[in-house]
Amino acid sequence: MKEKIEQILAEVKTFKAENKDALEQFRIAYLSKKGALTELFTEFKQVAPEMRKEMGMRLNELKNTIQTIVDEQQKQFETTGESKTDLDLTLPVDAMSGARHPLSVVREEINDIFRRLGFVIADGPEIEDDYHVFTALNFPLDHPARDMQDTFFISKNPNENKPTDVLLRTHTSSVQVRAMEANKMPIRIIAPGRVFRNEAISARAHCIFHQIEGLYIDKNVSFADLKQTLYHFVQEYFGEGTKVRFRPSYFPFTETSAEMDISCNICGGEGCNICKHTGWVEIMGCGICDPNILKASNIDPEEYTGFAFGMGVERIAMLKYQINDLRMFFENDLRFLKQFENA
Ligand code: PHE
């Protein structure tokens, strides 16, 4: 057996594949189920007990050597393969055909408005831990949002130590926490992203949707700044003269909290079925950052204050384009998508 191993080792060491096929043949000859190594591993079962340790080590070494040879030569084919392509990689992207998805269009338009105000785009993972989605945002341990009914869990910690549970984020507010942890003042971020909730799919709800989160923390930030920023956004996005109103609300991580409505852009406030004849439609939640969440990320609430807001991209798109069924965004029906070709 020892000789066989040595012999194979000598064979493979000088191997140099001329092309991808030759490399694949080589891999099959040695590493596949019917390959030389499988044979050796079968033989190994008969090796005398006092020789097992040594033979086992040699055999594993041989296997690793062959695997490394295959991996390294593979890499080389991947890179040289690319430069051999006859695609013209220098063609300008404008040559691309097709249309952007309405949600991308709306997201970019919203991002642009806030970019012009000095907000920068921030990002965070979709697969999050409980700490960033709930605990750091002041959600009590028994808050219903932490329930299986609302949240998709990936793994739950058996000893009930919730902050380490792994889950799909239910809101982009988790990016607030990540931005605060980075602790570079002032913070002025906008965080667009996908969120997930365990909801039945209907015309008004989906288990996947998109949010845009905003966070501004600096010295002397007040509710007046929040109102003015969002008022500006609404004028830019829905047109000058659109009215806004703030209603008191509750979120665990903001104090004061509010919900913001705009005058219905469909009927102009007269009353229609989109605004349920009230003349107003709700577009986002917002508020002043609770001092507790600043503290949790080591920001001194005596020195800094901030505001946050979060809106649903689908909701804004539905209002802007008068779409009455949220499922349209996910079905990719070309008759629907084509209407946004020039957006
Ligand atoms: N995260 C909240 C939600 O998903 C919205 C929100 C964001 C509220 C920021 C206040 C501040 O409902």
Side-chain angles (χ1 to χ4, degrees), residues 12 15 17 20 22-32 62-78:
V12 297
F15 174 76
K20 256 186 163 171
L23 184 60
E24 182 59 8
Q25 289 302 327
F26 174 79
R27 191 191 65 77
I28 292 173
Y30 291 101
L31 296 178
S32 74
L62 176 64
K63 189 174 162 208
N64 290 341
T65 312
I66 300 180
Q67 190 64 54
T68 318
I69 293 174
V70 171
D71 290 347
E72 287 198 341
Q73 300 201 12
Q74 191 112 39
K75 255 189 248 156
Q76 168 201 326
F77 287 125
E78 271 159 23

Side-chain angles (χ1 to χ4, degrees), residues 171 173 176 197 211 213 251 253-254 285-287 308-310:
H171 54 181
S173 300
Q176 283 190 39
R197 287 186 199 171
Q211 286 189 330
E213 189 85 10
F251 301 102
F253 44 96
T254 49
C286 57
F309 57 88

Side-chain angles (χ1 to χ4, degrees), residues 35-51:
L37 275 185
T38 314
E39 226 169 83
L40 277 179
F41 273 105
T42 318
E43 256 175 61
F44 176 71
K45 287 182 194 142
Q46 264 103 52
V47 168
E50 66 276 13
M51 294 293 284

Side-chain angles (χ1 to χ4, degrees), residues 6 33 43 89 110 134 143 147 185-186 196 201 212 234:
E6 304 271 291
K33 264 194 192 147
E43 256 175 61
L89 299 176
I110 298 174
F134 298 126
H143 194 284
D147 207 322
M185 291 299 158
F196 308 83
I201 296 172
I212 295 185
V234 169

Side-chain angles (χ1 to χ4, degrees), residues 168-188:
L168 295 180
R169 66 178 177 195
T170 55
H171 54 181
T172 43
S173 300
S174 52
V175 186
Q176 283 190 39
V177 180
R178 297 210 168 257
M180 286 187 289
E181 280 172 349
N183 215 327
K184 277 214 185 88
M185 291 299 158
I187 298 172
R188 203 192 278 133

